[in-house]
Amino acid sequence: MYHLPVLKNRRTLLERAEKFISDIYFTDCNLRGRLYGDSCPLESLACFLTPKRITFSEASKQIFDPCKVGDTFGPTWWTCWFKATLKIPESWRGKEVHLLWESDGEAMVWRDEQPVQGLTKEGEKTSYILSECLQDEDLTLYVEMACNGLFGAGQGSQIAAPDPNRKFSVQRAELVVFNRDVRELLTDFEMLVDIVKELGEEEQRGYQALFTVNEMVNLCDPSDPSSFAKVHSLAGTFFNQRNGESQHTVHAMGHCHIDSAWLWPYEETIRKCGRSWVTVIRLMEKNPEFVFTCSQAQQFQWVKSWYPGLFSSIQHYVKKGQFIPVGGTWVEMDGNLPSGESMVRQFLEGQRFFNKEFGRYCKEFWLPDTFGYSAQLPQIMQGCGISNFLTQKLSWNLINTFPHNTFFWEGLDGSTVLTHFPPGNSYEMKGKVEDLVKTLKNNKDKGRANHSAALFGFGDGGGGPTQLMLDRLRLVQDTNGLPKVQMSTPDELFTRLQADSALLCTWAGELFLELHNGTYTTQAQIKRGNRQCETLLHDIEIASSLALYRNNTFPYPAEKLQELWRLLLLNQFHDVIPGSCIEMVVEDALKYYEGEFLQLLALVAKGSSVAVFNSLPWERLEVVQIQEGAEKSGLGLLGIQYLYCSPHTINFISDGVSHHCVDFRESISDGCLGNQFVMFDDVPLYWDAWDVMDYHLQTRFQPLLSNPVHVVSSGGLRGSVSFTLRISDKSTITQEIIMDAMCPYIKFSTEVQWAESHKFLKVEFPVRVRSPNATYEIQFGHLQRPTHRNTSWDWARFEVWGHKWADLSEHNFGVSLLNDCKYGYSVHKNTMTLSLLRAPKAPDATADMGIHHFTYAIMPHTRSFQEASVIQCAYNLNFPLRLIQCSPDTMPWSAFSVTSQAVILETIKQAEDRGGVLVVRLYESHGSSVTATLRTTLPVREAWVCDLLEKQDPNRPVQVTSEGITLDFKPFQIVSLLLIM
């Protein structure tokens, strides 16, 4: 078979084969140089520039000026539309003809007023096949080129702030004859070369590949296509040698992760979706076995609005089972920072959208790229009809290697979901041998799971799969020495994993990412806007629900609330709320928050909602003021209030910047000062906005007091003092320390003028408490994390996330740290630390610069934090009274109350698509099993348990008695009810 003598030098044979298909070396005589045949220029090329992203119909009406290859266009974020006139030579009839287009800006081909192909050099899509659509030799195409690359326009590095003045060019625009037989041979050669390299010198199969590919070089004459068939047959002999039945199976799924905003703004993402998905449709037309998975209902909604023809094609291929909507959420949200109710709404909006548009609910949660996963997600998933979960981000752990790829994940309440981390540690594989070998070797559950996912396609900035990736996978679908490969769906994968799940392990609690923990703090204004809008939406829904049942002519603002919820959910995308995005995205997000805030207040002003309330979602909702018969129709003003009386008194002592809280005993450690502002140098290894490294803790220093403490208020119901600290010659902290009568915590109302670079501002409270664990609020509950650093797993949690409070307690005494818009914490030994501000310079060079306002509070307590009402006090701090003048003769009335302090009444809203029905959501907050009664003065006829998608459970009616509705709760259980009036 082989030419004699048989060479045995592995390096020379391997390099010979590599050079034979190289696009750099010997292209005058190797096979790669024959990929394209004849070429000819375009008949004409003209363009026009616009700073806006406009529709095709608007663009096609513009005046196009002549241009040529090599011209530059810009600046960054503009759009250049090209009009290309093509004339195909008569001699090319019967040949495969491509438009070859190479530009450093992302592009879309338009034909007959429809998008037909994405063109992205970085995504290996540089040609559009013409010969399949030609009716005659003359054709006019439009090419829409964005003045940004696949990853934006970073100045100097990918994650650097964008260069606003960058110019973009078209390097190649011509017609070419494409030699399909050469492409097929190149794929044969490439896969064999990769098998040699990946299997290494110790595998016999690798040497078989080496000698096969060497003989193929011997047989192949690039200038003589008649030699190709024999070469291809030789490769086929190798690839058709099959695996045994026990071989690992890789479930290949097309994928195109598109960040809804990151190094580009939201508007550009719309076009990224169009470019990527229309290309997927073209691939499905030619490859009926091709399966593509796609998440994020928001992106589908964008495509439906901007590209209705494309959306219709997507619906067609969803029905065929090739285009698979996954995830079930509105966007791929951050897994740590959104509130519990926001996470529920991500699924509610996403699943309802997918069911409406495609007639199906997603069965799997799909979140491959977020920065950690809350321990309440399994319960929320199960409540939304989802029992499977796929991600890969924990492969990014900086310190510890996560021990599983396929396992059951157990949440805070005991709910479990089957979870899979693709062992290839990527959501953008390329269908190469390397990807398949890595998937096999990296599987940490060998012997327990014999099936894995491989997600292939360019991602983050879009792009998606290519025909070459499909060809690669098809070639090695069952080749000895490699895992088996089958094109598959997520449902097929999880069905196989579930069938063989008897030996799988269980991981209990959060999935903590040991990286990117600076995102708990970066872009503080976004985080403040998120918390405030979550609070406002919560209040308006409760107020509108109560208004509805005080006056049945009141129009519940369902459409407006959905619109505002969707804006909030969009900003919870995993590169927006974490702050790891460019300045343009930050501006958009803050604009959405501001607009949302104003619209919500407008709902109040129109009399459509409760205006005076402290809607504390826990033990009691009591309306304190009502105004009926106002100028505007419907209910005027309502208020909801929780009446709380502290069992303790707290003495306040001011001593410089020492603020001691005394609650039956001194709370601050001997010789220490509380409320200590501390600064750190904050220079990560690479991911600037994302990461804070452990070594920053070695750079601690304290700002100096610049103005003496002065008394602001010294009598009556409030006592307060104020002072100013100078952080540097550019930054200052001004703070008012407030103690209110009958309030169990001291508030620190803070303004920071911040103009630092790579600094981290925190506040510390060294407390007189000893405990091995601290407690942090998360969605619908709380969890504990160690205060020591015994193991590498403990050390990796030097900076953690939490929501409205954290607590450090020993038996019968503790101290809680509350906040109104912060998420980063650290509790080491007895020092409680709240992270306040960072100053990264990439990808937003102006991140966090400016004036910041926030409030935190310190709350010493006896007994446990549950008995001391810490949870309720944190709600108090975050849900302030909203005051609007009411009639003096307004009478109070009580709407809801709960008999157990452990049970929080979190949400009251109108049911989706069901007038006259309320959804009430409660959860157990203490970590206890408890029976509680929900009491209401509303005219409830029936009550039913429902899931988080508000589907009524026909087997779980709830008895309504004169005493109310009695419910049993397990620790941290979420219960949703439908109340039918």
Side-chain angles (χ1 to χ4, degrees):
M1 172 183 176
Y2 294 100
H3 293 278
L4 297 177
V6 176
L7 299 178
K8 295 184 178 181
N9 187 294
R10 182 177 182 274
R11 175 184 171 182
T12 59
L13 297 189
L14 177 58
E15 285 200 24
R16 180 195 189 199
E18 289 178 315
K19 295 298 192 296
F20 192 68
I21 58 174
S22 171
D23 58 0
I24 299 174
Y25 302 102
F26 309 114
T27 55
D28 61 322
C29 60
N30 73 4
L31 186 62
R32 177 75 62 177
R34 304 289 173 155
L35 182 59
Y36 296 110
D38 295 338
S39 66
C40 72
L42 306 183
E43 190 76 4
S44 67
L45 186 65
C47 70
F48 91 93
L49 270 166
T50 172
K52 298 180 179 179
R53 299 171 179 89
I54 61 177
T55 63
F56 174 84
S57 66
E58 184 179 351
S60 62
K61 297 172 185 175
Q62 305 302 311
I63 298 174
F64 286 74
D65 297 320
C67 65
K68 63 183 183 299
V69 171
D71 287 350
T72 59
F73 311 92
T76 306
W77 307 124
W78 283 46
T79 299
C80 190
W81 284 83
F82 296 90
K83 185 176 182 180
T85 304
L86 320 177
K87 187 174 183 65
I88 297 177
E90 177 65 30
S91 61
W92 289 9
R93 285 283 183 181
K95 297 180 179 180
E96 184 171 337
V97 180
H98 289 197
L99 167 66
L100 197 60
W101 181 281
E102 293 185 9
S103 63
D104 45 13
E106 293 184 87
M108 171 88 91
V109 180
W110 290 79
R111 178 174 175 268
D112 298 333
E113 302 182 5
Q114 294 297 320
V116 292
Q117 174 72 53
L119 295 172
T120 309
K121 187 164 67 172
E122 296 161 287
E124 296 181 4
K125 296 180 183 68
T126 56
S127 67
Y128 170 56
I129 302 175
L130 293 168
S131 49
E132 296 178 358
C133 61
L134 286 178
Q135 303 300 320
D136 51 47
E137 293 107 7
D138 297 329
L139 182 67
T140 298
L141 298 175
Y142 290 84
V143 178
E144 175 191 15
M145 187 187 81
C147 290
N148 56 263
L150 197 63
F151 292 94
Q155 190 166 11
S157 74
Q158 178 179 297
I159 66 166
D163 178 356
N165 301 310
R166 183 172 163 185
K167 297 291 185 178
F168 296 78
S169 66
V170 178
Q171 296 94 33
R172 198 170 182 183
E174 60 185 350
L175 303 182
V176 297
V177 173
F178 182 78
N179 294 321
R180 178 67 58 182
D181 53 355
V182 173
R183 174 70 271 172
E184 291 174 354
L185 267 188
L186 286 170
T187 306
D188 290 342
F189 274 99
E190 174 202 307
M191 297 300 278
L192 282 164
V193 165
D194 285 353
I195 288 173
V196 176
K197 291 193 289 189
E198 292 300 322
L199 296 188
E201 298 187 44
E202 297 180 359
E203 293 283 341
Q204 174 180 303
R205 187 65 170 160
Y207 276 97
Q208 292 175 352
L210 177 65
F211 283 93
T212 298
V213 75
N214 184 64
E215 181 65 8
M216 288 168 61
V217 177
N218 290 334
L219 294 175
C220 185
D221 181 356
S223 64
D224 180 11
S226 66
S227 69
F228 294 173
K230 192 171 184 180
V231 178
H232 187 59
S233 176
L234 186 58
T237 300
F238 178 91
F239 290 121
N240 288 329
Q241 293 173 335
R242 304 304 184 196
N243 272 297
E245 291 185 7
S246 65
Q247 181 60 279
H248 190 86
T249 299
V250 173
H251 294 249
M253 306 173 204
H255 190 243
C256 178
H257 181 65
I258 303 178
D259 288 320
S260 290
W262 180 30
L263 305 176
W264 52 86
Y266 286 126
E267 275 196 1
E268 190 56 40
T269 305
I270 299 173
R271 300 199 296 189
K272 285 177 175 288
C273 293
R275 290 187 286 262
S276 302
W277 296 358
V278 75
T279 305
V280 165
I281 296 299
R282 297 288 86 81
L283 290 173
M284 288 180 175
E285 292 170 349
K286 299 170 187 167
N287 303 270
E289 81 285 2
F290 173 40
V291 171
F292 178 74
T293 57
C294 191
S295 65
Q296 307 194 72
Q298 171 69 85
Q299 295 184 3
F300 284 91
Q301 178 63 58
W302 281 334
V303 168
K304 182 182 179 182
S305 299
W306 280 67
Y307 307 102
L310 171 58
F311 189 76
S312 295
S313 296
I314 290 171
Q315 289 178 311
H316 169 72
Y317 281 100
V318 169
K319 288 181 181 178
K320 290 188 69 174
Q322 288 182 257
F323 203 114
I324 312 293
V326 295
T329 51
W330 190 246
V331 297
E332 288 188 9
M333 73 282 194
D334 181 82
N336 300 324
L337 307 185
S339 69
E341 188 61 30
S342 288
M343 285 189 167
V344 170
R345 300 306 176 92
Q346 286 283 356
F347 286 99
L348 180 67
E349 291 297 329
Q351 289 283 56
R352 283 173 56 80
F353 179 90
F354 289 130
N355 188 53
K356 177 183 177 182
E357 299 295 342
F358 305 117
R360 54 170 288 169
Y361 292 104
C362 300
K363 298 179 181 179
E364 59 289 307
F365 185 34
W366 198 271
L367 199 58
D369 191 33
T370 201
F371 311 147
Y373 305 88
S374 166
Q376 271 291 26
L377 274 169
Q379 182 178 190
I380 295 172
M381 280 186 250
Q382 290 283 10
C384 296
I386 289 175
S387 55
N388 302 315
F389 175 44
L390 183 144
T391 186
Q392 62 82 47
K393 197 64 177 185
L394 262 66
S395 67
W396 284 47
N397 272 6
L398 189 64
I399 299 174
N400 298 287
T401 299
F402 193 79
H404 300 294
N405 286 102
T406 304
F407 59 99
F408 287 104
W409 180 21
E410 181 179 291
L412 198 61
D413 73 316
S415 298
T416 61
V417 290
L418 179 57
T419 300
H420 181 66
F421 296 175
N425 298 336
S426 174
Y427 49 75
E428 51 172 338
M429 292 181 163
K430 306 302 184 293
K432 293 188 174 184
V433 172
E434 173 191 4
D435 300 330
L436 302 177
V437 172
K438 186 183 294 184
T439 296
L440 179 63
K441 289 185 176 180
N442 286 3
N443 179 21
K444 301 183 188 70
D445 295 282
K446 296 180 179 74
R448 288 190 288 263
N450 205 29
H451 295 261
S452 298
L455 310 181
F456 65 94
F458 288 94
D460 289 332
T466 66
Q467 182 64 53
L468 177 57
M469 296 177 193
L470 289 168
D471 293 342
R472 289 167 179 159
L473 292 169
R474 187 182 294 119
L475 193 62
V476 294
Q477 57 188 321
D478 191 2
T479 294
N480 184 28
L482 298 177
K484 294 180 181 179
V485 180
Q486 68 178 61
M487 201 63 65
S488 189
T489 67
D491 191 45
E492 290 170 345
L493 167 68
F494 280 107
T495 297
R496 293 303 302 265
L497 292 175
Q498 184 69 54
D500 299 328
S501 63
L503 298 178
L504 294 182
C505 300
T506 297
W507 180 273
E510 68 180 328
L511 296 174
F512 185 86
L513 178 64
E514 297 175 0
L515 197 69
H516 293 358
N517 35 15
T519 60
Y520 315 149
T521 306
T522 304
Q523 298 287 9
Q525 298 286 24
I526 288 181
K527 292 169 172 62
R528 183 170 185 254
N530 176 75
R531 183 81 65 85
Q532 288 182 335
C533 287
E534 285 178 335
T535 301
L536 267 172
L537 279 166
H538 165 276
D539 288 351
I540 296 301
E541 284 187 330
I542 290 180
S544 298
S545 299
L546 298 184
L548 186 63
Y549 292 99
R550 294 293 288 181
N551 185 333
N552 57 17
T553 65
F554 167 72
Y556 187 91
E559 290 186 7
K560 175 57 67 176
L561 284 171
Q562 182 186 64
E563 174 189 335
L564 296 174
W565 263 113
R566 286 182 170 183
L567 278 178
L568 177 64
L569 299 178
L570 173 59
N571 277 351
Q572 290 174 349
F573 178 74
H574 64 253
D575 277 310
V576 179
I577 189 173
S580 49
C581 51
I582 62 173
E583 184 179 8
M584 291 177 71
V585 179
V586 176
E587 291 171 350
D588 283 344
L590 295 180
K591 178 178 65 178
Y592 290 163
Y593 288 136
E594 182 180 1
E596 189 166 354
F597 186 88
L598 293 174
Q599 290 182 67
L600 286 165
L601 291 182
L603 289 177
V604 173
K606 291 177 181 177
S608 64
S609 189
V610 174
V612 182
F613 49 74
N614 183 359
S615 52
L616 299 175
W618 59 303
E619 184 175 295
R620 187 178 183 191
L621 291 172
E622 181 168 325
V623 176
V624 294
Q625 291 186 341
I626 307 171
Q627 179 182 3
E628 296 183 359
E631 293 181 0
K632 299 177 181 64
S633 61
L635 186 63
L637 306 178
L638 293 178
I640 306 170
Q641 185 177 41
Y642 177 80
L643 306 178
Y644 176 79
C645 189
S646 170
H648 315 304
T649 58
I650 301 178
N651 297 319
F652 175 74
I653 302 172
S654 175
D655 177 17
V657 291
S658 169
H659 313 296
H660 292 221
C661 303
V662 182
D663 187 340
F664 297 129
R665 59 180 261 193
E666 182 66 39
S667 302
I668 301 298
S669 293
D670 291 340
C672 297
L673 302 177
N675 195 43
Q676 290 297 291
F677 290 101
V678 289
M679 291 272 284
F680 300 85
D681 294 335
D682 186 16
V683 183
L685 298 176
Y686 177 72
W687 298 100
D688 202 353
W690 293 259
D691 289 348
V692 55
M693 311 309 296
D694 53 0
Y695 53 73
H696 87 282
L697 297 170
Q698 297 179 311
T699 66
R700 179 182 182 276
F701 65 96
Q702 291 181 248
L704 299 175
L705 183 68
S706 58
N707 290 336
V709 174
H710 68 277
V711 175
V712 177
S713 176
S714 60
L717 299 177
R718 167 169 289 186
S720 67
V721 297
S722 179
F723 63 88
T724 298
L725 289 176
R726 177 158 296 282
I727 300 172
S728 68
D729 58 352
K730 298 176 288 186
S731 304
T732 58
I733 302 170
T734 300
Q735 187 172 78
E736 184 179 6
I737 305 173
I738 302 167
M739 181 176 178
D740 290 330
M742 308 305 294
C743 181
Y745 51 80
I746 294 176
K747 291 188 291 187
F748 302 85
S749 179
T750 311
E751 176 183 289
V752 180
Q753 295 186 351
W754 185 247
E756 299 301 307
S757 177
H758 291 115
K759 300 296 180 185
F760 200 160
L761 177 66
K762 305 183 186 184
V763 64
E764 294 178 349
F765 290 88
V767 297
R768 191 180 292 184
V769 177
R770 180 174 175 80
S771 175
N773 295 294
T775 307
Y776 303 83
E777 187 195 38
I778 67 167
Q779 298 83 357
F780 298 124
H782 59 263
L783 52 70
Q784 291 189 329
R785 300 185 181 107
T787 59
H788 55 75
R789 294 171 181 167
N790 286 354
T791 71
S792 59
W793 295 87
D794 303 328
W795 177 262
R797 287 164 167 77
F798 61 87
E799 180 81 6
V800 299
W801 64 273
H803 282 198
K804 297 185 293 294
W805 58 269
D807 181 82
L808 185 63
S809 289
E810 57 192 40
H811 177 65
N812 211 37
F813 181 80
V815 177
S816 293
L817 185 55
L818 322 178
N819 77 85
D820 70 348
C821 61
K822 299 300 177 185
Y823 296 91
Y825 294 89
S826 172
V827 181
H828 183 220
K829 296 183 177 178
N830 69 319
T831 299
M832 306 182 72
T833 305
L834 183 66
S835 297
L836 303 177
L837 292 170
R838 296 186 70 221
K841 299 304 172 187
D844 176 6
T846 66
D848 282 314
M849 298 299 97
I851 298 176
H852 297 267
H853 295 94
F854 49 86
T855 297
Y856 55 89
I858 193 75
M859 180 179 170
H861 58 84
T862 56
R863 301 178 296 172
S864 69
F865 69 84
Q866 293 98 327
E867 295 170 299
S869 301
V870 166
I871 300 168
Q872 289 77 7
C873 287
Y875 273 107
N876 266 333
L877 186 67
N878 281 268
F879 290 78
L881 286 166
R882 309 187 189 280
L883 302 175
I884 293 180
Q885 187 171 350
C886 295
S887 170
D889 59 353
T890 299
M891 299 295 293
W893 62 283
S894 179
F896 289 92
S897 63
V898 182
T899 58
S900 171
Q901 185 178 343
V903 176
I904 302 267
L905 176 53
E906 176 71 23
T907 300
I908 303 171
K909 65 180 287 287
Q910 182 173 269
E912 302 293 320
D913 304 328
R914 294 184 67 177
V917 179
L918 288 183
V919 172
V920 174
R921 188 154 19 257
L922 311 97
Y923 73 94
E924 197 288 318
S925 67
H926 286 184
S928 60
S929 296
V930 66
T931 298
T933 299
L934 173 67
R935 294 172 177 161
T936 180
T937 58
L938 300 186
V940 178
R941 291 189 296 107
E942 298 177 35
W944 296 81
V945 172
C946 65
D947 64 12
L948 297 180
L949 300 183
E950 304 180 9
K951 295 179 185 177
Q952 182 173 316
D953 187 340
N955 300 315
R956 298 186 66 187
V958 181
Q959 187 176 9
V960 182
T961 69
S962 59
E963 294 297 315
I965 300 168
T966 300
L967 302 165
D968 293 327
F969 289 83
K970 296 177 182 177
F972 305 116
Q973 183 181 2
I974 307 165
V975 174
S976 298
L977 300 176
L978 292 172
L979 303 184
I980 302 172
M981 305 299 161

